[in-house]
Amino acid sequence: GGLGLGFRTLPYLFQQWGPILAVLAGVMWFGLLFFAGITSSLAMGTPIMGFMRDEFGWKRENSAWLFGALILILGLPTVVFFNYGVFDEYDYWAGTVSLVIFALFETILFAWIFGINRGWKEITMGADIKVPIVFKYVIKYVTPVILGAVFIGSLPSIMDTINNTAIHEQLATATDETTISTLKKTIFFKNISRFALLGMWVSIAVAVAIAYRKRMREGRFTNAEA
């Protein structure tokens, strides 16, 4: 996958090219990864900073400091505790499971709660290219069914991950004290990383709820529009 290919396989291959080429390839490769990460972070941070400015009146500098602090708090453990699987845990929950769950929720909210007719009007309003009408039914029926099936089918794997089944199996057969200690620490740090991600998602939900109530109090949109 991406993590193993980028940080394990390719560096190993670079080492086979000799000391000079290995260093050059490593600098260029990880330099590209660095700039890709920076630009992605900026892209992710812009909506957050815009949200804090628009909904709570924060200055751009304060919003940027908040985003930077969140990235530091959540990102630093992936480096310090990399050997205990924190990076892998973030990648699994944020980059795999959450994509399906949030996509399913967003589709349901858009097509069934907000209303596919109102949503379709927003999609097609002022569009230069006419969207085929078939996508209206794809969004409302096909997409939720497929995403729901994928999520249900992955539940056994998700439960195994939550229960740390693979690590417990390794613990059951391990005899070396160092290995046992490492596996126990891995379970601990994996659980902590999950709570950190959960706390972040809950915090985002709370912030959105507060912003929604603030808009309602200020009359920035009507109950019908809400």
Side-chain angles (χ1 to χ4, degrees), residues 11-183:
Y12 172 78
L13 293 177
F14 295 156
Q15 291 177 359
Q16 314 308 311
W17 296 355
I20 298 178
L21 286 179
V23 171
L24 291 176
V27 169
M28 289 188 290
W29 171 246
F30 288 108
L32 289 172
L33 287 182
F34 172 78
F35 284 109
I38 288 295
T39 53
S40 297
S41 298
L42 292 175
M44 291 186 296
T46 300
I48 296 176
M49 292 187 290
F51 173 79
M52 297 305 296
R53 291 201 315 271
D54 295 341
E55 303 300 333
F56 299 102
W58 283 37
K59 294 182 179 179
R60 183 179 181 85
E61 292 78 8
N62 294 336
S63 302
W65 276 109
L66 173 66
F67 176 70
L70 292 175
I71 292 298
L72 178 63
I73 293 172
L74 290 172
L76 192 59
T78 65
V79 178
V80 178
F81 306 113
F82 180 83
N83 292 332
Y84 297 108
V86 174
F87 188 96
D88 293 333
E89 205 67 20
Y90 279 13
D91 181 62
Y92 176 75
W93 291 108
T96 302
V97 177
S98 296
L99 291 180
V100 177
I101 295 176
F102 289 152
L104 177 60
F105 284 162
E106 288 176 8
T107 304
I108 293 174
L109 287 172
F110 179 80
W112 293 90
I113 297 179
F114 179 73
I116 190 61
N117 291 329
R118 296 168 63 189
W120 191 254
K121 182 179 178 181
E122 292 290 335
I123 291 175
T124 57
M125 183 181 300
D128 294 330
I129 300 176
K130 184 177 180 180
V131 183
I133 192 66
V134 66
F135 286 105
K136 180 178 182 180
Y137 304 98
V138 169
I139 295 173
K140 186 172 183 178
Y141 300 108
V142 178
T143 302
V145 170
I146 293 177
L147 290 174
V150 170
F151 175 68
I152 293 173
S154 62
L155 276 177
S157 175
I158 293 174
M159 295 307 301
D160 285 341
T161 302
I162 293 175
N163 295 325
N164 298 304
T165 303
I167 301 178
H168 284 296
E169 290 176 352
Q170 295 178 48
L171 273 173
T173 58
T175 56
D176 181 67
E177 289 297 329
T178 302
T179 302
I180 293 174
S181 175
T182 301
L183 290 173

